[in-house]
């Protein structure tokens, strides 16, 4: 062997003839089953290949690959493994000269076939599969960085390589489940095809360039489809974790796009399959968010929300086509619900990884998809349409709640912009109790920036709130601006939410939490005064009971007011205020416990059936509170005014009975209290339509004026001088004729028929002034 190597190095032009001779000998020995000579020939070829790097090595490599192919075609496992080992050695050699005509198609196919070996002997099967994986690894290493070689990223190659690796990754050998001794453990790990396949897959994906990611991911998706691996989803999640951690971070969004497209393609698949894809997407998106997700953020949320809406339609209609027919796949509602929960969970987990500015965009995007009863957003009509609207609203609000959880934004103007807050609060006026509860929880998530939310999960009248260890910061200037702009809107919706008959304990807990968090996060003196007025107005709702609320709701409103005033009195630290609140609470404890949260907000509330005879000692008095707070610098004049919610156009759009009654009641109160009741003329009703018409008309007039000015300017710029002069001359003559008419009328007034100009009631009227005594304005001087 030494002499042969020396000869080949001395005369490199003979190398191709040496390779041809050895190839001929090896093929003959394989045919005659002389396997010892086969091993000697392959050893000689390996050593020559390792030693020689001359320019004429290409022809020798052709002979070498021909012999490797002959061994791989053999049915003998040992020869296949021998050929694979030689090919792996060859793959690790960096050739000095490029090859323009070499093909590895046979090797890709054969190695992929070996990866799927089903030999009866478990040990031999493991060795063959591992050889196949090593061979594929060798092909990738040999071709991936050489532009002159066959493109290994072509679909015909990737469709063989990737499924072969996934097959071994999926089928962990039975031998691995046997517990080896500690000394044998490292060796067993090396012999594990799953470990080797994972390393090879990571290496393959790590070498993938931007344009090749798609070809590498598509076979993964097809493999998971063909083998129904989305439903257990454990293997699918593992695969995509390997993918996401192996590729370059800047390519992450390509994988996300592939998954989104695959989800769309499977929109009519079983709910369990879609749920598996969504959960894989969730895991992949969280990993991708640490790198670069880029423009796929809104695309991802758009796809998820579209799938959510489709799932709602499927659950309502019971089929994928909207109508049941022969051969239609019947949809299981609980599976669709499971899919919807998976989508919502994915939306929340991905949103939690986004930076604040992107999260704000996502929140606005989701809110824009919520169907609302307004003039700008059409809603489905009919019974089925109402169900679809309701389910869509609930699912989107659930998604919004997931996104808002943990959202930290120092500026409330950015966290709750006007267009978002208006749409969110309009859903608080809907009849559905579940939707209203979601709105309250979403508001709480946004306002709670110091983690105080869980401390108000139960409503109580603590004698010392210091045990809650509240985190309180001074209200910032931005928050003050926010409250000046939106406070009345918030108060109004809280007030109207308190008056709902369908409220349960969770609603009152959410309302209490919202009031408490506003007091901690966004309160200044003016806000504190307004919140106290609001809660006292809620107490009046329970006392007067014009809404005909059930007993539980009235007791709950009394208890809610007691809990909040107990909290705010201790936050304001005004002793007289605290004393008054404490006295009323103590009185209620002795004689009316059904007006306190400890008796109302429990599993079995203890209520009183007679709430009409509530004495004044049980109530928090506005005059008393105004007196004690006015002495401490608060605005006592404002405290004396009863709270009346503002009216907006959405009251008419919401179609709510209670709101309609509120409007008519307020109009009636205003007219009753007006001193000019008899003299007042009925004013024209200003509705949304009239305002819209006025705005549209004014815009149209402005457009016409702008167009007229443009035409005048264009005319003076482009028209010939003679035409402009003629136009100005005509206007001047017209003005002169009008002035002449005015002067003629002024100089000669019309004669009176009787000769004497008299006015009514016989009083003489002054004659018209002569022209020479007239004083003309400057504008009339021509």
């Amino acid at each position: 062997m030494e002499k042969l190597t020396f000869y080949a190095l001395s005369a490199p032009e003979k190398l191709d003839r040496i390779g041809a001779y050895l190839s001929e000998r090896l093929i003959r020995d394989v045919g005659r089953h002389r396997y010892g000579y086969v091993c000697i020939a392959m050893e000689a070829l390996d050593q020559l290949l390792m030693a020689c790097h001359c320019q004429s090595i290409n022809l020798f490599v052709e002979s070498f690959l021909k012999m490797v192919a002959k061994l791989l075609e053999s049915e003998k496992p040992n020869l296949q493994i021998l050929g694979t080992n030689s090919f792996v050695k060859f793959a690790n050699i960096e050739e000095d000269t490029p090859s323009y005509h070499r093909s590895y198609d046979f090797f890709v196919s054969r190695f992929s076939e070996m990866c799927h070996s089903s030999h009866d002997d478990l040990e031999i099967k493991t060795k063959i599969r591992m050889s196949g994986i090593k061979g594929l690894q060798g092909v990738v290493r040999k071709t991936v960085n050489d532009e002159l070689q066959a493109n290994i990223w072509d679909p015909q190659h990737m469709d063989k390589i990737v499924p072969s690796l996934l097959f071994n990754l999926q089928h962990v050998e039975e031998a691995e489940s046997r517990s080896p001794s500690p000394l044998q453990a490292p060796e067993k790990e090396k012999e594990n095809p799953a470990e080797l396949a994972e390393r090879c897959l990571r290496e393959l994906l790590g070498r993938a360039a931007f344009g090749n990611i798609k070809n590498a991911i598509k076979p993964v998706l097809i493999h998971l489809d063909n083998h129904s691996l989305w439903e257990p989803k454990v293997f699918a999640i593992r695969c995509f974790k390997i993918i996401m951690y192996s590729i370059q971070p800047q390519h992450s969004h390509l994988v996300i796009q592939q998954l989104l497209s695959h989800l769309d393609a499977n929109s009519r698949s079983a709910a369990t399959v879609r749920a598996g894809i969504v959960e894989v997407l969730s895991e992949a998106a969280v990993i991708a968010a640490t790198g670069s997700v880029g423009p796929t953020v809104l695309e991802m949320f758009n796809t998820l929300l579209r799938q959510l809406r489709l799932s709602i339609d499927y659950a309502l209609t019971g089929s994928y086509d909207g109508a049941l027919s022969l051969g239609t796949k019947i949809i299981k509602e609980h599976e669709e619900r499971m899919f919807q929960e998976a989508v919502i969970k994915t939306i929340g987990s991905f949103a939690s990884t986004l930076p604040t500015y992107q999260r704000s965009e996502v929140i606005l995007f989701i809110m824009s998809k919520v169907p609302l009863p307004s003039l700008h957003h059409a809603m489905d009509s009919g019974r089925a349409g109402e169900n679809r609207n309701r389910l869509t609203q609930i699912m989107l609000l659930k998604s919004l709640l997931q996104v808002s959880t943990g959202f930290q934004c120092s500026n409330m103007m950015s966290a709750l912009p006007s267009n978002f807050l208006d749409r969110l609060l309009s859903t608080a006026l809907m009849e559905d109790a579940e939707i209203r509860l979601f709105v309250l929880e979403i508001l709480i998530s946004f306002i709670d920036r110091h983690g105080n939310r869980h401390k108000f999960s139960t409503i109580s009248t603590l004698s010392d709130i210091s045990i809650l260890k509240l985190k309180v910061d001074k209200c910032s200037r931005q928050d003050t601006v926010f409250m000046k702009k939106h406070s009345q809107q918030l108060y109004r919706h809280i007030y109207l939410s308190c008056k709902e008959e369908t409220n349960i304990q969770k609603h009152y807990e959410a309302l209490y939490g919202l009031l408490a968090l506003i007091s901690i996060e966004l309160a200044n003196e003016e806000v504190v005064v307004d919140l106290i007025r609001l809660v006292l107005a809620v107490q009046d709702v329970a006392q007067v009971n014009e809404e005909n609320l059930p007993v539980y709701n009235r007791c709950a409103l009394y208890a809610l007011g007691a809990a909040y005033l107990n909290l705010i009195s201790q936050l304001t630290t005004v002793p007289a205020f605290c004393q008054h609140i404490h006295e009323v609470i103590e009185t209620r404890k002795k004689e009316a416990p059904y007006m306190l949260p400890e008796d109302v907000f429990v599993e079995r509330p203890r209520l009183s059936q007679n709430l009409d005879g509530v004495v004044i000692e049980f109530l928090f008095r506005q005059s008393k509170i105004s007196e004690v707070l006015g002495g401490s610098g608060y605005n006592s004049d404002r405290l004396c005014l009863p709270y009346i919610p503002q009216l907006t156009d959405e009251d008419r759009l919401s179609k709510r009975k209670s709101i309609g009654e509120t409007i008519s009641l307020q109009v009636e109160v205003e007219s009753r209290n007006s001193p000019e009741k008899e003299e007042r003329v009925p004013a024209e009703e200003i509705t949304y339509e009239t305002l819209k018409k006025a705005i549209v008309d004014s815009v149209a007039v402005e457009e016409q004026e702008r167009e007229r000015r443009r035409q005048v300017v264009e005319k003076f710029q482009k028209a010939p001088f003679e035409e402009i002069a003629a136009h100005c001359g005509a206007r001047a003559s017209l003005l002169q004729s009008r002035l002449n008419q005015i002067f003629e009328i002024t100089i000669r007034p019309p004669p009176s028929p009787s000769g004497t100009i008299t006015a009514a009631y016989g009083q003489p009227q002054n004659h018209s002034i002569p022209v020479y005594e007239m004083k003309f304005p400057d504008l009339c001087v021509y």
Side-chain angles (χ1 to χ4, degrees), residues 450-456 465-473 516-517 520 567 571:
H450 293 88
N452 292 313
R453 177 181 182 176
H454 66 281
K455 298 170 185 176
F456 303 111
I465 64 167
S466 61
I467 62 173
L468 295 177
K469 297 180 180 178
L470 299 174
K471 298 176 183 175
V472 184
D473 277 349
L517 288 169
I520 291 172
L567 173 71
L571 287 174

PDB file of all heavy atoms in Angstrom, residues 450-456 465-473 516-517 520 567 571:
ATOM      1  N   HIS A 450     -49.297  47.808  38.740  1.00  0.00           N
ATOM      2  CA  HIS A 450     -48.416  47.511  39.876  1.00  0.00           C
ATOM      3  C   HIS A 450     -48.774  46.195  40.562  1.00  0.00           C
ATOM      4  O   HIS A 450     -48.363  45.950  41.694  1.00  0.00           O
ATOM      5  CB  HIS A 450     -48.486  48.655  40.909  1.00  0.00           C
ATOM      6  CG  HIS A 450     -47.914  49.946  40.401  1.00  0.00           C
ATOM      7  ND1 HIS A 450     -48.663  50.872  39.712  1.00  0.00           N
ATOM      8  CD2 HIS A 450     -46.661  50.456  40.469  1.00  0.00           C
ATOM      9  CE1 HIS A 450     -47.904  51.905  39.385  1.00  0.00           C
ATOM     10  NE2 HIS A 450     -46.688  51.682  39.828  1.00  0.00           N
ATOM     11  N   GLY A 451     -49.542  45.357  39.891  1.00  0.00           N
ATOM     12  CA  GLY A 451     -49.858  44.037  40.431  1.00  0.00           C
ATOM     13  C   GLY A 451     -50.762  44.048  41.643  1.00  0.00           C
ATOM     14  O   GLY A 451     -50.656  43.168  42.509  1.00  0.00           O
ATOM     15  N   ASN A 452     -51.680  45.015  41.725  1.00  0.00           N
ATOM     16  CA  ASN A 452     -52.603  45.085  42.864  1.00  0.00           C
ATOM     17  C   ASN A 452     -53.912  44.342  42.619  1.00  0.00           C
ATOM     18  O   ASN A 452     -54.746  44.232  43.508  1.00  0.00           O
ATOM     19  CB  ASN A 452     -52.940  46.548  43.189  1.00  0.00           C
ATOM     20  CG  ASN A 452     -51.739  47.305  43.724  1.00  0.00           C
ATOM     21  OD1 ASN A 452     -51.033  46.814  44.595  1.00  0.00           O
ATOM     22  ND2 ASN A 452     -51.489  48.488  43.184  1.00  0.00           N
ATOM     23  N   ARG A 453     -54.071  43.822  41.403  1.00  0.00           N
ATOM     24  CA  ARG A 453     -55.364  43.278  40.992  1.00  0.00           C
ATOM     25  C   ARG A 453     -55.848  42.155  41.917  1.00  0.00           C
ATOM     26  O   ARG A 453     -57.010  42.151  42.346  1.00  0.00           O
ATOM     27  CB  ARG A 453     -55.239  42.768  39.557  1.00  0.00           C
ATOM     28  CG  ARG A 453     -56.470  42.103  39.022  1.00  0.00           C
ATOM     29  CD  ARG A 453     -56.235  41.620  37.608  1.00  0.00           C
ATOM     30  NE  ARG A 453     -57.417  41.006  37.042  1.00  0.00           N
ATOM     31  CZ  ARG A 453     -57.501  40.571  35.795  1.00  0.00           C
ATOM     32  NH1 ARG A 453     -56.466  40.701  34.992  1.00  0.00           N
ATOM     33  NH2 ARG A 453     -58.596  40.017  35.351  1.00  0.00           N
ATOM     34  N   HIS A 454     -54.981  41.201  42.216  1.00  0.00           N
ATOM     35  CA  HIS A 454     -55.409  40.037  42.998  1.00  0.00           C
ATOM     36  C   HIS A 454     -55.794  40.419  44.432  1.00  0.00           C
ATOM     37  O   HIS A 454     -56.491  39.661  45.118  1.00  0.00           O
ATOM     38  CB  HIS A 454     -54.295  38.988  43.024  1.00  0.00           C
ATOM     39  CG  HIS A 454     -53.065  39.440  43.763  1.00  0.00           C
ATOM     40  ND1 HIS A 454     -52.137  40.282  43.193  1.00  0.00           N
ATOM     41  CD2 HIS A 454     -52.635  39.183  45.023  1.00  0.00           C
ATOM     42  CE1 HIS A 454     -51.167  40.515  44.067  1.00  0.00           C
ATOM     43  NE2 HIS A 454     -51.444  39.865  45.183  1.00  0.00           N
ATOM     44  N   LYS A 455     -55.365  41.589  44.897  1.00  0.00           N
ATOM     45  CA  LYS A 455     -55.682  42.010  46.269  1.00  0.00           C
ATOM     46  C   LYS A 455     -57.137  42.461  46.412  1.00  0.00           C
ATOM     47  O   LYS A 455     -57.626  42.625  47.525  1.00  0.00           O
ATOM     48  CB  LYS A 455     -54.741  43.141  46.692  1.00  0.00           C
ATOM     49  CG  LYS A 455     -53.273  42.698  46.696  1.00  0.00           C
ATOM     50  CD  LYS A 455     -52.314  43.843  46.878  1.00  0.00           C
ATOM     51  CE  LYS A 455     -50.873  43.377  46.761  1.00  0.00           C
ATOM     52  NZ  LYS A 455     -49.894  44.461  46.839  1.00  0.00           N
ATOM     53  N   PHE A 456     -57.806  42.679  45.269  1.00  0.00           N
ATOM     54  CA  PHE A 456     -59.214  43.084  45.309  1.00  0.00           C
ATOM     55  C   PHE A 456     -60.117  42.001  44.725  1.00  0.00           C
ATOM     56  O   PHE A 456     -61.224  42.278  44.285  1.00  0.00           O
ATOM     57  CB  PHE A 456     -59.407  44.382  44.527  1.00  0.00           C
ATOM     58  CG  PHE A 456     -58.559  45.514  45.025  1.00  0.00           C
ATOM     59  CD1 PHE A 456     -57.519  46.007  44.259  1.00  0.00           C
ATOM     60  CD2 PHE A 456     -58.783  46.069  46.272  1.00  0.00           C
ATOM     61  CE1 PHE A 456     -56.720  47.045  44.714  1.00  0.00           C
ATOM     62  CE2 PHE A 456     -57.995  47.109  46.733  1.00  0.00           C
ATOM     63  CZ  PHE A 456     -56.959  47.591  45.965  1.00  0.00           C
ATOM     64  N   ILE A 465     -56.560  48.614  55.777  1.00  0.00           N
ATOM     65  CA  ILE A 465     -56.154  48.124  54.449  1.00  0.00           C
ATOM     66  C   ILE A 465     -54.645  48.016  54.300  1.00  0.00           C
ATOM     67  O   ILE A 465     -54.153  47.596  53.252  1.00  0.00           O
ATOM     68  CB  ILE A 465     -56.708  49.034  53.333  1.00  0.00           C
ATOM     69  CG1 ILE A 465     -56.112  50.451  53.441  1.00  0.00           C
ATOM     70  CG2 ILE A 465     -58.210  49.066  53.331  1.00  0.00           C
ATOM     71  CD1 ILE A 465     -56.366  51.300  52.221  1.00  0.00           C
ATOM     72  N   SER A 466     -53.895  48.378  55.332  1.00  0.00           N
ATOM     73  CA  SER A 466     -52.430  48.265  55.242  1.00  0.00           C
ATOM     74  C   SER A 466     -51.985  46.813  55.102  1.00  0.00           C
ATOM     75  O   SER A 466     -50.901  46.534  54.575  1.00  0.00           O
ATOM     76  CB  SER A 466     -51.772  48.897  56.467  1.00  0.00           C
ATOM     77  OG  SER A 466     -52.178  48.228  57.647  1.00  0.00           O
ATOM     78  N   ILE A 467     -52.830  45.863  55.538  1.00  0.00           N
ATOM     79  CA  ILE A 467     -52.462  44.453  55.415  1.00  0.00           C
ATOM     80  C   ILE A 467     -52.461  43.996  53.953  1.00  0.00           C
ATOM     81  O   ILE A 467     -51.875  42.973  53.616  1.00  0.00           O
ATOM     82  CB  ILE A 467     -53.403  43.558  56.245  1.00  0.00           C
ATOM     83  CG1 ILE A 467     -54.848  43.672  55.739  1.00  0.00           C
ATOM     84  CG2 ILE A 467     -53.329  43.899  57.724  1.00  0.00           C
ATOM     85  CD1 ILE A 467     -55.788  42.685  56.400  1.00  0.00           C
ATOM     86  N   LEU A 468     -53.108  44.776  53.075  1.00  0.00           N
ATOM     87  CA  LEU A 468     -53.094  44.431  51.648  1.00  0.00           C
ATOM     88  C   LEU A 468     -51.750  44.742  50.992  1.00  0.00           C
ATOM     89  O   LEU A 468     -51.449  44.214  49.915  1.00  0.00           O
ATOM     90  CB  LEU A 468     -54.196  45.210  50.912  1.00  0.00           C
ATOM     91  CG  LEU A 468     -55.641  44.881  51.297  1.00  0.00           C
ATOM     92  CD1 LEU A 468     -56.607  45.785  50.531  1.00  0.00           C
ATOM     93  CD2 LEU A 468     -55.959  43.421  51.026  1.00  0.00           C
ATOM     94  N   LYS A 469     -50.951  45.606  51.640  1.00  0.00           N
ATOM     95  CA  LYS A 469     -49.628  46.008  51.111  1.00  0.00           C
ATOM     96  C   LYS A 469     -49.749  46.503  49.660  1.00  0.00           C
ATOM     97  O   LYS A 469     -49.107  46.000  48.736  1.00  0.00           O
ATOM     98  CB  LYS A 469     -48.642  44.854  51.188  1.00  0.00           C
ATOM     99  CG  LYS A 469     -48.371  44.408  52.621  1.00  0.00           C
ATOM    100  CD  LYS A 469     -47.382  43.260  52.671  1.00  0.00           C
ATOM    101  CE  LYS A 469     -47.128  42.829  54.118  1.00  0.00           C
ATOM    102  NZ  LYS A 469     -46.205  41.674  54.205  1.00  0.00           N
ATOM    103  N   LEU A 470     -50.607  47.505  49.484  1.00  0.00           N
ATOM    104  CA  LEU A 470     -50.845  48.049  48.145  1.00  0.00           C
ATOM    105  C   LEU A 470     -49.643  48.845  47.657  1.00  0.00           C
ATOM    106  O   LEU A 470     -48.986  49.544  48.432  1.00  0.00           O
ATOM    107  CB  LEU A 470     -52.074  48.955  48.165  1.00  0.00           C
ATOM    108  CG  LEU A 470     -53.390  48.293  48.570  1.00  0.00           C
ATOM    109  CD1 LEU A 470     -54.484  49.337  48.697  1.00  0.00           C
ATOM    110  CD2 LEU A 470     -53.789  47.231  47.560  1.00  0.00           C
ATOM    111  N   LYS A 471     -49.355  48.718  46.369  1.00  0.00           N
ATOM    112  CA  LYS A 471     -48.294  49.519  45.744  1.00  0.00           C
ATOM    113  C   LYS A 471     -48.949  50.722  45.089  1.00  0.00           C
ATOM    114  O   LYS A 471     -49.650  50.599  44.084  1.00  0.00           O
ATOM    115  CB  LYS A 471     -47.547  48.685  44.707  1.00  0.00           C
ATOM    116  CG  LYS A 471     -46.844  47.471  45.295  1.00  0.00           C
ATOM    117  CD  LYS A 471     -46.211  46.635  44.200  1.00  0.00           C
ATOM    118  CE  LYS A 471     -45.575  45.373  44.778  1.00  0.00           C
ATOM    119  NZ  LYS A 471     -45.052  44.490  43.719  1.00  0.00           N
ATOM    120  N   VAL A 472     -48.722  51.893  45.667  1.00  0.00           N
ATOM    121  CA  VAL A 472     -49.390  53.115  45.192  1.00  0.00           C
ATOM    122  C   VAL A 472     -48.333  54.116  44.749  1.00  0.00           C
ATOM    123  O   VAL A 472     -47.382  54.392  45.484  1.00  0.00           O
ATOM    124  CB  VAL A 472     -50.270  53.738  46.294  1.00  0.00           C
ATOM    125  CG1 VAL A 472     -51.023  54.943  45.761  1.00  0.00           C
ATOM    126  CG2 VAL A 472     -51.243  52.703  46.845  1.00  0.00           C
ATOM    127  N   ASP A 473     -48.484  54.635  43.528  1.00  0.00           N
ATOM    128  CA  ASP A 473     -47.621  55.693  43.016  1.00  0.00           C
ATOM    129  C   ASP A 473     -48.449  56.945  42.787  1.00  0.00           C
ATOM    130  O   ASP A 473     -49.669  56.875  42.581  1.00  0.00           O
ATOM    131  CB  ASP A 473     -46.970  55.273  41.689  1.00  0.00           C
ATOM    132  CG  ASP A 473     -45.733  54.422  41.919  1.00  0.00           C
ATOM    133  OD1 ASP A 473     -45.293  54.355  43.077  1.00  0.00           O
ATOM    134  OD2 ASP A 473     -45.236  53.822  40.952  1.00  0.00           O
ATOM    135  N   ALA A 516     -61.439  50.269  42.587  1.00  0.00           N
ATOM    136  CA  ALA A 516     -60.277  50.331  43.470  1.00  0.00           C
ATOM    137  C   ALA A 516     -59.005  50.646  42.688  1.00  0.00           C
ATOM    138  O   ALA A 516     -58.184  51.468  43.121  1.00  0.00           O
ATOM    139  CB  ALA A 516     -60.127  48.999  44.208  1.00  0.00           C
ATOM    140  N   LEU A 517     -58.842  50.014  41.517  1.00  0.00           N
ATOM    141  CA  LEU A 517     -57.614  50.233  40.734  1.00  0.00           C
ATOM    142  C   LEU A 517     -57.576  51.639  40.146  1.00  0.00           C
ATOM    143  O   LEU A 517     -56.505  52.244  40.047  1.00  0.00           O
ATOM    144  CB  LEU A 517     -57.511  49.183  39.625  1.00  0.00           C
ATOM    145  CG  LEU A 517     -57.168  47.774  40.129  1.00  0.00           C
ATOM    146  CD1 LEU A 517     -57.336  46.754  39.027  1.00  0.00           C
ATOM    147  CD2 LEU A 517     -55.739  47.741  40.663  1.00  0.00           C
ATOM    148  N   ILE A 520     -56.316  53.808  42.853  1.00  0.00           N
ATOM    149  CA  ILE A 520     -54.893  53.649  43.178  1.00  0.00           C
ATOM    150  C   ILE A 520     -53.998  54.147  42.048  1.00  0.00           C
ATOM    151  O   ILE A 520     -52.996  54.813  42.268  1.00  0.00           O
ATOM    152  CB  ILE A 520     -54.599  52.166  43.484  1.00  0.00           C
ATOM    153  CG1 ILE A 520     -55.266  51.770  44.792  1.00  0.00           C
ATOM    154  CG2 ILE A 520     -53.100  51.900  43.562  1.00  0.00           C
ATOM    155  CD1 ILE A 520     -55.189  50.295  45.092  1.00  0.00           C
ATOM    156  N   LEU A 567     -62.647  51.583  51.488  1.00  0.00           N
ATOM    157  CA  LEU A 567     -61.294  51.619  50.909  1.00  0.00           C
ATOM    158  C   LEU A 567     -60.848  53.053  50.647  1.00  0.00           C
ATOM    159  O   LEU A 567     -59.743  53.457  51.048  1.00  0.00           O
ATOM    160  CB  LEU A 567     -61.278  50.810  49.603  1.00  0.00           C
ATOM    161  CG  LEU A 567     -59.986  50.879  48.788  1.00  0.00           C
ATOM    162  CD1 LEU A 567     -58.870  50.108  49.481  1.00  0.00           C
ATOM    163  CD2 LEU A 567     -60.197  50.344  47.379  1.00  0.00           C
ATOM    164  N   LEU A 571     -57.714  55.435  52.028  1.00  0.00           N
ATOM    165  CA  LEU A 571     -56.697  55.952  51.103  1.00  0.00           C
ATOM    166  C   LEU A 571     -56.569  57.471  51.217  1.00  0.00           C
ATOM    167  O   LEU A 571     -55.479  58.023  51.073  1.00  0.00           O
ATOM    168  CB  LEU A 571     -57.053  55.561  49.660  1.00  0.00           C
ATOM    169  CG  LEU A 571     -56.864  54.084  49.279  1.00  0.00           C
ATOM    170  CD1 LEU A 571     -57.385  53.823  47.878  1.00  0.00           C
ATOM    171  CD2 LEU A 571     -55.388  53.696  49.354  1.00  0.00           C
TER     172      LEU A 571
END
